[in-house]
Amino acid sequence: MTTIHQVAAAAGVSISTVSYALSGKRPVSEKTRLRIEAAVQTLGYEPDAGARMLAGRRTNIFALTEPLRADTHAPTHMAFVLATAVAARRSGYDILLLTDEQASEGMNRVAASNLVDAILVLDVAPDDARADIARSVRTPTVFIGIPDDANGLTCVDLDFESAGRLAVDRLADAGHDGVTLLGQTEVAYRKSNFPRRLLHGVQDRSSERGVALEWVTTGVTTTEPAAVRAAAERALARGVRAFIVHAVGDVHDVLLDTVAAHGLTVGADVSVISAAASFDTATLPVPIDTIPLVPQQSCDLAVELALQQLENAGASARIHLIPPEYHAAGSIAPARE
C-alpha cells in the first residue's frame, strides 16, 4: 500500500506539503499541487478518511446505528443489517456498524467527527433519542422505522398499521368474530415502535369490524413457549378459531403444535395469519398465509433516500410507507356457525 511518505518523495516535497495539498487546509502553489496530484495518481495513493473529509470529499461510508440489547432477536435484526450493507455496497458504500445500547452516543460521535456521509437508523423506539440528534446535525439521516415524533425526519418502513388492518379484514371476511393476536415480547412493545404500530392497526380494524380481540405478549424479554401455549389453549377453549401472529418463528411453532394437539387443522378448522414476518414461513410445518416484512425493501429505499439527500441537501423530509402484500397459502378457514 502506497504511503504519504512515498508520495512526498516522488513529488519532491515534504509530507506536510502533501497533506496540505490533499486537505486544502493551507494554500499550496499550483505547480506544487499538480506535481503532488500526479504522484498520487501514478502511485495509486488513497488518502485517509480524515484527509478526504478536510478536502470536502465523501468518505463513502454510511453509519448504521443498531443498538444490540439483551432482548434483541439477533436473526431479525441481522437480516436488516445485512440488507443495508448489501444495498450500500451496491452503491459503492461501506457500513460502519454502531451497536452500543446507548445508541445516541455513537450517533453523536460519528456526526461530530464527519466520519460518515450519512447515518441510517435501525430499531427505532417510540421516543427515540436519535430523532432529536438527526434534527440537529448536518449529516443526512434516514430512519428505517418511525418514532412517535417524526417531524422533520426522513423515515421508511413497512406500513405496519395497514398490515394489521389487512390481517383482521381477511379473518373478518371469513366470518370470524373473535381473534387472538400473539404478539411480540413485553420489552419489544416498550423499546421498539413497529410492534405497537401493527397492534394499533389490529385494534382499530377489530373495533370497526366488530371483532372481539385478545392481544397476548409472548414473553418478557424472549419468547416463552409456556405463555404462548397457554394463550392458544385459552383461545381454543373459548371457541376462538382465528389467530394473527406477529412474532418470531418459535411462536408459530408452538401455536401450530397446540392446534394439532387439539385435533384441529389449520385451513380447515383454524385460521392463522403471520403478520409482518421477517423469516421464511415456508420452513413452518404447515403452510401459513403471510404478510411479509422484507428487509431488502426498506433497506434499499433507505440507502436510495440517503444518496438523494447527499445530492440534494434541500430534499424534503417525509415518511415513506411500503404497502403490505398478502401471500395466501390456504390457512384461512371459514368460521363455523
Side-chain angles (χ1 to χ4, degrees), residues 121 124-126 128 143-150 153 155-161 192-194 197 319-321:
V121 181
V124 179
D128 206 304
F143 283 68
I144 304 173
I146 306 171
D148 284 348
D149 180 7
L153 302 179
C155 306
V156 56
D157 208 358
L158 175 69
D159 189 341
F160 282 92
E161 290 89 346
S192 296
N193 213 20
F194 70 91
R197 289 166 47 215
I319 295 174
H320 303 255
L321 293 177

mmCIF file with all atom_site columns, all heavy atoms in Angstrom, residues 121 124-126 128 143-150 153 155-161 192-194 197 319-321:
data_model
loop_
_atom_site.group_PDB
_atom_site.id
_atom_site.type_symbol
_atom_site.label_atom_id
_atom_site.label_alt_id
_atom_site.label_comp_id
_atom_site.label_asym_id
_atom_site.label_entity_id
_atom_site.label_seq_id
_atom_site.pdbx_PDB_ins_code
_atom_site.Cartn_x
_atom_site.Cartn_y
_atom_site.Cartn_z
_atom_site.occupancy
_atom_site.B_iso_or_equiv
_atom_site.pdbx_formal_charge
_atom_site.auth_seq_id
_atom_site.auth_comp_id
_atom_site.auth_asym_id
_atom_site.auth_atom_id
_atom_site.pdbx_PDB_model_num
ATOM 1   N N   . VAL A 1 121 ? -30.687 4.596  10.584 1.00 0.00 ? 121 VAL A N   1
ATOM 2   C CA  . VAL A 1 121 ? -31.113 4.295  11.944 1.00 0.00 ? 121 VAL A CA  1
ATOM 3   C C   . VAL A 1 121 ? -32.043 3.087  11.948 1.00 0.00 ? 121 VAL A C   1
ATOM 4   O O   . VAL A 1 121 ? -33.090 3.097  11.289 1.00 0.00 ? 121 VAL A O   1
ATOM 5   C CB  . VAL A 1 121 ? -31.834 5.505  12.572 1.00 0.00 ? 121 VAL A CB  1
ATOM 6   C CG1 . VAL A 1 121 ? -32.264 5.194  14.002 1.00 0.00 ? 121 VAL A CG1 1
ATOM 7   C CG2 . VAL A 1 121 ? -30.928 6.737  12.549 1.00 0.00 ? 121 VAL A CG2 1
ATOM 8   N N   . VAL A 1 124 ? -36.041 1.446  15.777 1.00 0.00 ? 124 VAL A N   1
ATOM 9   C CA  . VAL A 1 124 ? -36.495 2.771  16.211 1.00 0.00 ? 124 VAL A CA  1
ATOM 10  C C   . VAL A 1 124 ? -37.464 2.636  17.375 1.00 0.00 ? 124 VAL A C   1
ATOM 11  O O   . VAL A 1 124 ? -38.437 1.880  17.312 1.00 0.00 ? 124 VAL A O   1
ATOM 12  C CB  . VAL A 1 124 ? -37.170 3.507  15.037 1.00 0.00 ? 124 VAL A CB  1
ATOM 13  C CG1 . VAL A 1 124 ? -37.663 4.880  15.474 1.00 0.00 ? 124 VAL A CG1 1
ATOM 14  C CG2 . VAL A 1 124 ? -36.185 3.638  13.874 1.00 0.00 ? 124 VAL A CG2 1
ATOM 15  N N   . ALA A 1 125 ? -37.190 3.377  18.439 1.00 0.00 ? 125 ALA A N   1
ATOM 16  C CA  . ALA A 1 125 ? -38.029 3.357  19.634 1.00 0.00 ? 125 ALA A CA  1
ATOM 17  C C   . ALA A 1 125 ? -39.132 4.402  19.528 1.00 0.00 ? 125 ALA A C   1
ATOM 18  O O   . ALA A 1 125 ? -39.012 5.358  18.761 1.00 0.00 ? 125 ALA A O   1
ATOM 19  C CB  . ALA A 1 125 ? -37.175 3.623  20.871 1.00 0.00 ? 125 ALA A CB  1
ATOM 20  N N   . PRO A 1 126 ? -40.206 4.255  20.310 1.00 0.00 ? 126 PRO A N   1
ATOM 21  C CA  . PRO A 1 126 ? -41.277 5.251  20.275 1.00 0.00 ? 126 PRO A CA  1
ATOM 22  C C   . PRO A 1 126 ? -40.770 6.665  20.562 1.00 0.00 ? 126 PRO A C   1
ATOM 23  O O   . PRO A 1 126 ? -41.107 7.616  19.862 1.00 0.00 ? 126 PRO A O   1
ATOM 24  C CB  . PRO A 1 126 ? -42.246 4.763  21.356 1.00 0.00 ? 126 PRO A CB  1
ATOM 25  C CG  . PRO A 1 126 ? -42.007 3.288  21.438 1.00 0.00 ? 126 PRO A CG  1
ATOM 26  C CD  . PRO A 1 126 ? -40.546 3.114  21.183 1.00 0.00 ? 126 PRO A CD  1
ATOM 27  N N   . ASP A 1 128 ? -37.508 7.736  20.551 1.00 0.00 ? 128 ASP A N   1
ATOM 28  C CA  . ASP A 1 128 ? -36.103 7.537  20.206 1.00 0.00 ? 128 ASP A CA  1
ATOM 29  C C   . ASP A 1 128 ? -35.300 8.831  20.316 1.00 0.00 ? 128 ASP A C   1
ATOM 30  O O   . ASP A 1 128 ? -35.603 9.832  19.660 1.00 0.00 ? 128 ASP A O   1
ATOM 31  C CB  . ASP A 1 128 ? -35.999 6.992  18.774 1.00 0.00 ? 128 ASP A CB  1
ATOM 32  C CG  . ASP A 1 128 ? -34.727 6.193  18.569 1.00 0.00 ? 128 ASP A CG  1
ATOM 33  O OD1 . ASP A 1 128 ? -33.640 6.740  18.817 1.00 0.00 ? 128 ASP A OD1 1
ATOM 34  O OD2 . ASP A 1 128 ? -34.831 5.027  18.163 1.00 0.00 ? 128 ASP A OD2 1
ATOM 35  N N   . PHE A 1 143 ? -34.243 7.116  8.809  1.00 0.00 ? 143 PHE A N   1
ATOM 36  C CA  . PHE A 1 143 ? -34.717 6.146  9.787  1.00 0.00 ? 143 PHE A CA  1
ATOM 37  C C   . PHE A 1 143 ? -35.399 4.988  9.064  1.00 0.00 ? 143 PHE A C   1
ATOM 38  O O   . PHE A 1 143 ? -36.285 5.199  8.238  1.00 0.00 ? 143 PHE A O   1
ATOM 39  C CB  . PHE A 1 143 ? -35.719 6.798  10.742 1.00 0.00 ? 143 PHE A CB  1
ATOM 40  C CG  . PHE A 1 143 ? -35.095 7.661  11.800 1.00 0.00 ? 143 PHE A CG  1
ATOM 41  C CD1 . PHE A 1 143 ? -34.468 8.854  11.465 1.00 0.00 ? 143 PHE A CD1 1
ATOM 42  C CD2 . PHE A 1 143 ? -35.109 7.282  13.127 1.00 0.00 ? 143 PHE A CD2 1
ATOM 43  C CE1 . PHE A 1 143 ? -33.884 9.646  12.428 1.00 0.00 ? 143 PHE A CE1 1
ATOM 44  C CE2 . PHE A 1 143 ? -34.527 8.065  14.105 1.00 0.00 ? 143 PHE A CE2 1
ATOM 45  C CZ  . PHE A 1 143 ? -33.913 9.260  13.753 1.00 0.00 ? 143 PHE A CZ  1
ATOM 46  N N   . ILE A 1 144 ? -34.973 3.768  9.398  1.00 0.00 ? 144 ILE A N   1
ATOM 47  C CA  . ILE A 1 144 ? -35.664 2.570  8.927  1.00 0.00 ? 144 ILE A CA  1
ATOM 48  C C   . ILE A 1 144 ? -36.587 2.173  10.075 1.00 0.00 ? 144 ILE A C   1
ATOM 49  O O   . ILE A 1 144 ? -36.269 1.334  10.917 1.00 0.00 ? 144 ILE A O   1
ATOM 50  C CB  . ILE A 1 144 ? -34.672 1.459  8.557  1.00 0.00 ? 144 ILE A CB  1
ATOM 51  C CG1 . ILE A 1 144 ? -33.664 1.969  7.518  1.00 0.00 ? 144 ILE A CG1 1
ATOM 52  C CG2 . ILE A 1 144 ? -35.414 0.230  7.998  1.00 0.00 ? 144 ILE A CG2 1
ATOM 53  C CD1 . ILE A 1 144 ? -32.537 1.002  7.207  1.00 0.00 ? 144 ILE A CD1 1
ATOM 54  N N   . GLY A 1 145 ? -37.718 2.829  10.126 1.00 0.00 ? 145 GLY A N   1
ATOM 55  C CA  . GLY A 1 145 ? -38.626 2.770  11.250 1.00 0.00 ? 145 GLY A CA  1
ATOM 56  C C   . GLY A 1 145 ? -39.151 4.176  11.495 1.00 0.00 ? 145 GLY A C   1
ATOM 57  O O   . GLY A 1 145 ? -38.619 5.144  10.937 1.00 0.00 ? 145 GLY A O   1
ATOM 58  N N   . ILE A 1 146 ? -40.162 4.294  12.341 1.00 0.00 ? 146 ILE A N   1
ATOM 59  C CA  . ILE A 1 146 ? -40.810 5.588  12.537 1.00 0.00 ? 146 ILE A CA  1
ATOM 60  C C   . ILE A 1 146 ? -41.016 5.838  14.029 1.00 0.00 ? 146 ILE A C   1
ATOM 61  O O   . ILE A 1 146 ? -41.763 5.107  14.685 1.00 0.00 ? 146 ILE A O   1
ATOM 62  C CB  . ILE A 1 146 ? -42.176 5.639  11.819 1.00 0.00 ? 146 ILE A CB  1
ATOM 63  C CG1 . ILE A 1 146 ? -42.015 5.279  10.344 1.00 0.00 ? 146 ILE A CG1 1
ATOM 64  C CG2 . ILE A 1 146 ? -42.806 7.020  11.957 1.00 0.00 ? 146 ILE A CG2 1
ATOM 65  C CD1 . ILE A 1 146 ? -43.332 5.092  9.617  1.00 0.00 ? 146 ILE A CD1 1
ATOM 66  N N   . PRO A 1 147 ? -40.376 6.867  14.602 1.00 0.00 ? 147 PRO A N   1
ATOM 67  C CA  . PRO A 1 147 ? -40.631 7.203  16.003 1.00 0.00 ? 147 PRO A CA  1
ATOM 68  C C   . PRO A 1 147 ? -41.977 7.914  16.142 1.00 0.00 ? 147 PRO A C   1
ATOM 69  O O   . PRO A 1 147 ? -42.583 8.316  15.145 1.00 0.00 ? 147 PRO A O   1
ATOM 70  C CB  . PRO A 1 147 ? -39.465 8.135  16.350 1.00 0.00 ? 147 PRO A CB  1
ATOM 71  C CG  . PRO A 1 147 ? -39.129 8.800  15.052 1.00 0.00 ? 147 PRO A CG  1
ATOM 72  C CD  . PRO A 1 147 ? -39.388 7.769  13.979 1.00 0.00 ? 147 PRO A CD  1
ATOM 73  N N   . ASP A 1 148 ? -42.436 8.068  17.370 1.00 0.00 ? 148 ASP A N   1
ATOM 74  C CA  . ASP A 1 148 ? -43.706 8.771  17.586 1.00 0.00 ? 148 ASP A CA  1
ATOM 75  C C   . ASP A 1 148 ? -43.658 10.186 17.029 1.00 0.00 ? 148 ASP A C   1
ATOM 76  O O   . ASP A 1 148 ? -44.615 10.656 16.420 1.00 0.00 ? 148 ASP A O   1
ATOM 77  C CB  . ASP A 1 148 ? -44.035 8.810  19.079 1.00 0.00 ? 148 ASP A CB  1
ATOM 78  C CG  . ASP A 1 148 ? -44.543 7.467  19.592 1.00 0.00 ? 148 ASP A CG  1
ATOM 79  O OD1 . ASP A 1 148 ? -44.848 6.594  18.758 1.00 0.00 ? 148 ASP A OD1 1
ATOM 80  O OD2 . ASP A 1 148 ? -44.621 7.299  20.823 1.00 0.00 ? 148 ASP A OD2 1
ATOM 81  N N   . ASP A 1 149 ? -42.554 10.881 17.260 1.00 0.00 ? 149 ASP A N   1
ATOM 82  C CA  . ASP A 1 149 ? -42.382 12.229 16.738 1.00 0.00 ? 149 ASP A CA  1
ATOM 83  C C   . ASP A 1 149 ? -41.449 12.164 15.530 1.00 0.00 ? 149 ASP A C   1
ATOM 84  O O   . ASP A 1 149 ? -40.237 12.153 15.676 1.00 0.00 ? 149 ASP A O   1
ATOM 85  C CB  . ASP A 1 149 ? -41.806 13.159 17.808 1.00 0.00 ? 149 ASP A CB  1
ATOM 86  C CG  . ASP A 1 149 ? -41.620 14.589 17.304 1.00 0.00 ? 149 ASP A CG  1
ATOM 87  O OD1 . ASP A 1 149 ? -42.061 14.886 16.173 1.00 0.00 ? 149 ASP A OD1 1
ATOM 88  O OD2 . ASP A 1 149 ? -41.031 15.401 18.047 1.00 0.00 ? 149 ASP A OD2 1
ATOM 89  N N   . ALA A 1 150 ? -42.045 12.108 14.347 1.00 0.00 ? 150 ALA A N   1
ATOM 90  C CA  . ALA A 1 150 ? -41.256 12.002 13.115 1.00 0.00 ? 150 ALA A CA  1
ATOM 91  C C   . ALA A 1 150 ? -41.144 13.343 12.396 1.00 0.00 ? 150 ALA A C   1
ATOM 92  O O   . ALA A 1 150 ? -40.704 13.385 11.243 1.00 0.00 ? 150 ALA A O   1
ATOM 93  C CB  . ALA A 1 150 ? -41.877 10.967 12.190 1.00 0.00 ? 150 ALA A CB  1
ATOM 94  N N   . LEU A 1 153 ? -38.151 14.429 9.939  1.00 0.00 ? 153 LEU A N   1
ATOM 95  C CA  . LEU A 1 153 ? -37.308 13.255 9.711  1.00 0.00 ? 153 LEU A CA  1
ATOM 96  C C   . LEU A 1 153 ? -37.679 12.563 8.404  1.00 0.00 ? 153 LEU A C   1
ATOM 97  O O   . LEU A 1 153 ? -38.826 12.608 7.973  1.00 0.00 ? 153 LEU A O   1
ATOM 98  C CB  . LEU A 1 153 ? -37.461 12.252 10.856 1.00 0.00 ? 153 LEU A CB  1
ATOM 99  C CG  . LEU A 1 153 ? -37.141 12.739 12.261 1.00 0.00 ? 153 LEU A CG  1
ATOM 100 C CD1 . LEU A 1 153 ? -37.380 11.606 13.256 1.00 0.00 ? 153 LEU A CD1 1
ATOM 101 C CD2 . LEU A 1 153 ? -35.705 13.247 12.361 1.00 0.00 ? 153 LEU A CD2 1
ATOM 102 N N   . CYS A 1 155 ? -38.131 8.949  6.999  1.00 0.00 ? 155 CYS A N   1
ATOM 103 C CA  . CYS A 1 155 ? -38.339 7.607  7.537  1.00 0.00 ? 155 CYS A CA  1
ATOM 104 C C   . CYS A 1 155 ? -38.868 6.690  6.434  1.00 0.00 ? 155 CYS A C   1
ATOM 105 O O   . CYS A 1 155 ? -39.605 7.130  5.551  1.00 0.00 ? 155 CYS A O   1
ATOM 106 C CB  . CYS A 1 155 ? -39.356 7.615  8.678  1.00 0.00 ? 155 CYS A CB  1
ATOM 107 S SG  . CYS A 1 155 ? -38.995 8.754  10.032 1.00 0.00 ? 155 CYS A SG  1
ATOM 108 N N   . VAL A 1 156 ? -38.496 5.420  6.528  1.00 0.00 ? 156 VAL A N   1
ATOM 109 C CA  . VAL A 1 156 ? -39.018 4.425  5.600  1.00 0.00 ? 156 VAL A CA  1
ATOM 110 C C   . VAL A 1 156 ? -39.318 3.158  6.394  1.00 0.00 ? 156 VAL A C   1
ATOM 111 O O   . VAL A 1 156 ? -38.553 2.777  7.282  1.00 0.00 ? 156 VAL A O   1
ATOM 112 C CB  . VAL A 1 156 ? -38.025 4.131  4.447  1.00 0.00 ? 156 VAL A CB  1
ATOM 113 C CG1 . VAL A 1 156 ? -36.671 3.696  4.978  1.00 0.00 ? 156 VAL A CG1 1
ATOM 114 C CG2 . VAL A 1 156 ? -38.587 3.070  3.516  1.00 0.00 ? 156 VAL A CG2 1
ATOM 115 N N   . ASP A 1 157 ? -40.445 2.530  6.108  1.00 0.00 ? 157 ASP A N   1
ATOM 116 C CA  . ASP A 1 157 ? -40.802 1.316  6.831  1.00 0.00 ? 157 ASP A CA  1
ATOM 117 C C   . ASP A 1 157 ? -42.007 0.661  6.167  1.00 0.00 ? 157 ASP A C   1
ATOM 118 O O   . ASP A 1 157 ? -42.729 1.296  5.398  1.00 0.00 ? 157 ASP A O   1
ATOM 119 C CB  . ASP A 1 157 ? -41.140 1.639  8.285  1.00 0.00 ? 157 ASP A CB  1
ATOM 120 C CG  . ASP A 1 157 ? -40.860 0.474  9.229  1.00 0.00 ? 157 ASP A CG  1
ATOM 121 O OD1 . ASP A 1 157 ? -40.442 -0.595 8.740  1.00 0.00 ? 157 ASP A OD1 1
ATOM 122 O OD2 . ASP A 1 157 ? -41.042 0.640  10.447 1.00 0.00 ? 157 ASP A OD2 1
ATOM 123 N N   . LEU A 1 158 ? -42.223 -0.608 6.508  1.00 0.00 ? 158 LEU A N   1
ATOM 124 C CA  . LEU A 1 158 ? -43.473 -1.261 6.144  1.00 0.00 ? 158 LEU A CA  1
ATOM 125 C C   . LEU A 1 158 ? -44.620 -0.509 6.809  1.00 0.00 ? 158 LEU A C   1
ATOM 126 O O   . LEU A 1 158 ? -44.486 -0.013 7.929  1.00 0.00 ? 158 LEU A O   1
ATOM 127 C CB  . LEU A 1 158 ? -43.460 -2.711 6.618  1.00 0.00 ? 158 LEU A CB  1
ATOM 128 C CG  . LEU A 1 158 ? -44.758 -3.515 6.421  1.00 0.00 ? 158 LEU A CG  1
ATOM 129 C CD1 . LEU A 1 158 ? -45.007 -3.782 4.958  1.00 0.00 ? 158 LEU A CD1 1
ATOM 130 C CD2 . LEU A 1 158 ? -44.686 -4.825 7.213  1.00 0.00 ? 158 LEU A CD2 1
ATOM 131 N N   . ASP A 1 159 ? -45.742 -0.419 6.145  1.00 0.00 ? 159 ASP A N   1
ATOM 132 C CA  . ASP A 1 159 ? -46.928 0.179  6.745  1.00 0.00 ? 159 ASP A CA  1
ATOM 133 C C   . ASP A 1 159 ? -47.537 -0.848 7.695  1.00 0.00 ? 159 ASP A C   1
ATOM 134 O O   . ASP A 1 159 ? -48.439 -1.608 7.330  1.00 0.00 ? 159 ASP A O   1
ATOM 135 C CB  . ASP A 1 159 ? -47.924 0.586  5.657  1.00 0.00 ? 159 ASP A CB  1
ATOM 136 C CG  . ASP A 1 159 ? -49.077 1.412  6.187  1.00 0.00 ? 159 ASP A CG  1
ATOM 137 O OD1 . ASP A 1 159 ? -49.320 1.378  7.405  1.00 0.00 ? 159 ASP A OD1 1
ATOM 138 O OD2 . ASP A 1 159 ? -49.752 2.085  5.383  1.00 0.00 ? 159 ASP A OD2 1
ATOM 139 N N   . PHE A 1 160 ? -47.026 -0.878 8.922  1.00 0.00 ? 160 PHE A N   1
ATOM 140 C CA  . PHE A 1 160 ? -47.453 -1.885 9.889  1.00 0.00 ? 160 PHE A CA  1
ATOM 141 C C   . PHE A 1 160 ? -48.920 -1.732 10.261 1.00 0.00 ? 160 PHE A C   1
ATOM 142 O O   . PHE A 1 160 ? -49.615 -2.727 10.502 1.00 0.00 ? 160 PHE A O   1
ATOM 143 C CB  . PHE A 1 160 ? -46.581 -1.805 11.151 1.00 0.00 ? 160 PHE A CB  1
ATOM 144 C CG  . PHE A 1 160 ? -45.230 -2.434 11.004 1.00 0.00 ? 160 PHE A CG  1
ATOM 145 C CD1 . PHE A 1 160 ? -44.135 -1.683 10.598 1.00 0.00 ? 160 PHE A CD1 1
ATOM 146 C CD2 . PHE A 1 160 ? -45.048 -3.786 11.252 1.00 0.00 ? 160 PHE A CD2 1
ATOM 147 C CE1 . PHE A 1 160 ? -42.890 -2.256 10.454 1.00 0.00 ? 160 PHE A CE1 1
ATOM 148 C CE2 . PHE A 1 160 ? -43.795 -4.375 11.110 1.00 0.00 ? 160 PHE A CE2 1
ATOM 149 C CZ  . PHE A 1 160 ? -42.716 -3.608 10.708 1.00 0.00 ? 160 PHE A CZ  1
ATOM 150 N N   . GLU A 1 161 ? -49.396 -0.489 10.372 1.00 0.00 ? 161 GLU A N   1
ATOM 151 C CA  . GLU A 1 161 ? -50.810 -0.294 10.682 1.00 0.00 ? 161 GLU A CA  1
ATOM 152 C C   . GLU A 1 161 ? -51.697 -0.946 9.620  1.00 0.00 ? 161 GLU A C   1
ATOM 153 O O   . GLU A 1 161 ? -52.657 -1.658 9.934  1.00 0.00 ? 161 GLU A O   1
ATOM 154 C CB  . GLU A 1 161 ? -51.135 1.201  10.789 1.00 0.00 ? 161 GLU A CB  1
ATOM 155 C CG  . GLU A 1 161 ? -50.544 1.881  12.016 1.00 0.00 ? 161 GLU A CG  1
ATOM 156 C CD  . GLU A 1 161 ? -49.143 2.418  11.765 1.00 0.00 ? 161 GLU A CD  1
ATOM 157 O OE1 . GLU A 1 161 ? -48.514 2.044  10.744 1.00 0.00 ? 161 GLU A OE1 1
ATOM 158 O OE2 . GLU A 1 161 ? -48.673 3.219  12.595 1.00 0.00 ? 161 GLU A OE2 1
ATOM 159 N N   . SER A 1 192 ? -39.389 -0.792 21.043 1.00 0.00 ? 192 SER A N   1
ATOM 160 C CA  . SER A 1 192 ? -39.437 -0.703 19.580 1.00 0.00 ? 192 SER A CA  1
ATOM 161 C C   . SER A 1 192 ? -40.821 -0.205 19.173 1.00 0.00 ? 192 SER A C   1
ATOM 162 O O   . SER A 1 192 ? -41.816 -0.540 19.825 1.00 0.00 ? 192 SER A O   1
ATOM 163 C CB  . SER A 1 192 ? -39.162 -2.068 18.938 1.00 0.00 ? 192 SER A CB  1
ATOM 164 O OG  . SER A 1 192 ? -37.848 -2.504 19.237 1.00 0.00 ? 192 SER A OG  1
ATOM 165 N N   . ASN A 1 193 ? -40.876 0.560  18.088 1.00 0.00 ? 193 ASN A N   1
ATOM 166 C CA  . ASN A 1 193 ? -42.145 1.175  17.717 1.00 0.00 ? 193 ASN A CA  1
ATOM 167 C C   . ASN A 1 193 ? -42.982 0.322  16.757 1.00 0.00 ? 193 ASN A C   1
ATOM 168 O O   . ASN A 1 193 ? -44.200 0.458  16.723 1.00 0.00 ? 193 ASN A O   1
ATOM 169 C CB  . ASN A 1 193 ? -41.921 2.552  17.097 1.00 0.00 ? 193 ASN A CB  1
ATOM 170 C CG  . ASN A 1 193 ? -43.051 3.505  17.439 1.00 0.00 ? 193 ASN A CG  1
ATOM 171 O OD1 . ASN A 1 193 ? -43.778 3.289  18.401 1.00 0.00 ? 193 ASN A OD1 1
ATOM 172 N ND2 . ASN A 1 193 ? -43.204 4.563  16.668 1.00 0.00 ? 193 ASN A ND2 1
ATOM 173 N N   . PHE A 1 194 ? -42.335 -0.559 15.977 1.00 0.00 ? 194 PHE A N   1
ATOM 174 C CA  . PHE A 1 194 ? -43.100 -1.296 14.967 1.00 0.00 ? 194 PHE A CA  1
ATOM 175 C C   . PHE A 1 194 ? -44.130 -2.255 15.565 1.00 0.00 ? 194 PHE A C   1
ATOM 176 O O   . PHE A 1 194 ? -45.219 -2.403 14.999 1.00 0.00 ? 194 PHE A O   1
ATOM 177 C CB  . PHE A 1 194 ? -42.156 -2.030 14.004 1.00 0.00 ? 194 PHE A CB  1
ATOM 178 C CG  . PHE A 1 194 ? -41.414 -3.196 14.602 1.00 0.00 ? 194 PHE A CG  1
ATOM 179 C CD1 . PHE A 1 194 ? -41.938 -4.479 14.541 1.00 0.00 ? 194 PHE A CD1 1
ATOM 180 C CD2 . PHE A 1 194 ? -40.190 -3.010 15.219 1.00 0.00 ? 194 PHE A CD2 1
ATOM 181 C CE1 . PHE A 1 194 ? -41.258 -5.553 15.087 1.00 0.00 ? 194 PHE A CE1 1
ATOM 182 C CE2 . PHE A 1 194 ? -39.501 -4.074 15.783 1.00 0.00 ? 194 PHE A CE2 1
ATOM 183 C CZ  . PHE A 1 194 ? -40.043 -5.351 15.717 1.00 0.00 ? 194 PHE A CZ  1
ATOM 184 N N   . ARG A 1 197 ? -47.254 -0.267 16.311 1.00 0.00 ? 197 ARG A N   1
ATOM 185 C CA  . ARG A 1 197 ? -47.958 0.217  15.127 1.00 0.00 ? 197 ARG A CA  1
ATOM 186 C C   . ARG A 1 197 ? -48.842 -0.887 14.545 1.00 0.00 ? 197 ARG A C   1
ATOM 187 O O   . ARG A 1 197 ? -49.987 -0.632 14.139 1.00 0.00 ? 197 ARG A O   1
ATOM 188 C CB  . ARG A 1 197 ? -46.952 0.729  14.094 1.00 0.00 ? 197 ARG A CB  1
ATOM 189 C CG  . ARG A 1 197 ? -46.298 2.048  14.531 1.00 0.00 ? 197 ARG A CG  1
ATOM 190 C CD  . ARG A 1 197 ? -45.071 2.410  13.730 1.00 0.00 ? 197 ARG A CD  1
ATOM 191 N NE  . ARG A 1 197 ? -45.284 2.271  12.300 1.00 0.00 ? 197 ARG A NE  1
ATOM 192 C CZ  . ARG A 1 197 ? -44.344 1.871  11.456 1.00 0.00 ? 197 ARG A CZ  1
ATOM 193 N NH1 . ARG A 1 197 ? -43.138 1.544  11.898 1.00 0.00 ? 197 ARG A NH1 1
ATOM 194 N NH2 . ARG A 1 197 ? -44.597 1.790  10.172 1.00 0.00 ? 197 ARG A NH2 1
ATOM 195 N N   . ILE A 1 319 ? -42.273 10.706 5.462  1.00 0.00 ? 319 ILE A N   1
ATOM 196 C CA  . ILE A 1 319 ? -42.378 9.286  5.785  1.00 0.00 ? 319 ILE A CA  1
ATOM 197 C C   . ILE A 1 319 ? -42.737 8.504  4.525  1.00 0.00 ? 319 ILE A C   1
ATOM 198 O O   . ILE A 1 319 ? -43.679 8.856  3.819  1.00 0.00 ? 319 ILE A O   1
ATOM 199 C CB  . ILE A 1 319 ? -43.441 9.057  6.871  1.00 0.00 ? 319 ILE A CB  1
ATOM 200 C CG1 . ILE A 1 319 ? -43.012 9.729  8.181  1.00 0.00 ? 319 ILE A CG1 1
ATOM 201 C CG2 . ILE A 1 319 ? -43.685 7.566  7.095  1.00 0.00 ? 319 ILE A CG2 1
ATOM 202 C CD1 . ILE A 1 319 ? -44.054 9.675  9.270  1.00 0.00 ? 319 ILE A CD1 1
ATOM 203 N N   . HIS A 1 320 ? -41.978 7.455  4.249  1.00 0.00 ? 320 HIS A N   1
ATOM 204 C CA  . HIS A 1 320 ? -42.214 6.588  3.097  1.00 0.00 ? 320 HIS A CA  1
ATOM 205 C C   . HIS A 1 320 ? -42.711 5.239  3.612  1.00 0.00 ? 320 HIS A C   1
ATOM 206 O O   . HIS A 1 320 ? -41.958 4.495  4.243  1.00 0.00 ? 320 HIS A O   1
ATOM 207 C CB  . HIS A 1 320 ? -40.931 6.394  2.282  1.00 0.00 ? 320 HIS A CB  1
ATOM 208 C CG  . HIS A 1 320 ? -40.322 7.670  1.790  1.00 0.00 ? 320 HIS A CG  1
ATOM 209 N ND1 . HIS A 1 320 ? -40.406 8.084  0.485  1.00 0.00 ? 320 HIS A ND1 1
ATOM 210 C CD2 . HIS A 1 320 ? -39.605 8.622  2.445  1.00 0.00 ? 320 HIS A CD2 1
ATOM 211 C CE1 . HIS A 1 320 ? -39.774 9.233  0.335  1.00 0.00 ? 320 HIS A CE1 1
ATOM 212 N NE2 . HIS A 1 320 ? -39.280 9.583  1.516  1.00 0.00 ? 320 HIS A NE2 1
ATOM 213 N N   . LEU A 1 321 ? -43.971 4.927  3.386  1.00 0.00 ? 321 LEU A N   1
ATOM 214 C CA  . LEU A 1 321 ? -44.558 3.675  3.845  1.00 0.00 ? 321 LEU A CA  1
ATOM 215 C C   . LEU A 1 321 ? -44.646 2.673  2.698  1.00 0.00 ? 321 LEU A C   1
ATOM 216 O O   . LEU A 1 321 ? -45.129 3.007  1.615  1.00 0.00 ? 321 LEU A O   1
ATOM 217 C CB  . LEU A 1 321 ? -45.950 3.918  4.424  1.00 0.00 ? 321 LEU A CB  1
ATOM 218 C CG  . LEU A 1 321 ? -46.006 4.725  5.726  1.00 0.00 ? 321 LEU A CG  1
ATOM 219 C CD1 . LEU A 1 321 ? -47.453 4.954  6.134  1.00 0.00 ? 321 LEU A CD1 1
ATOM 220 C CD2 . LEU A 1 321 ? -45.244 4.019  6.843  1.00 0.00 ? 321 LEU A CD2 1
#
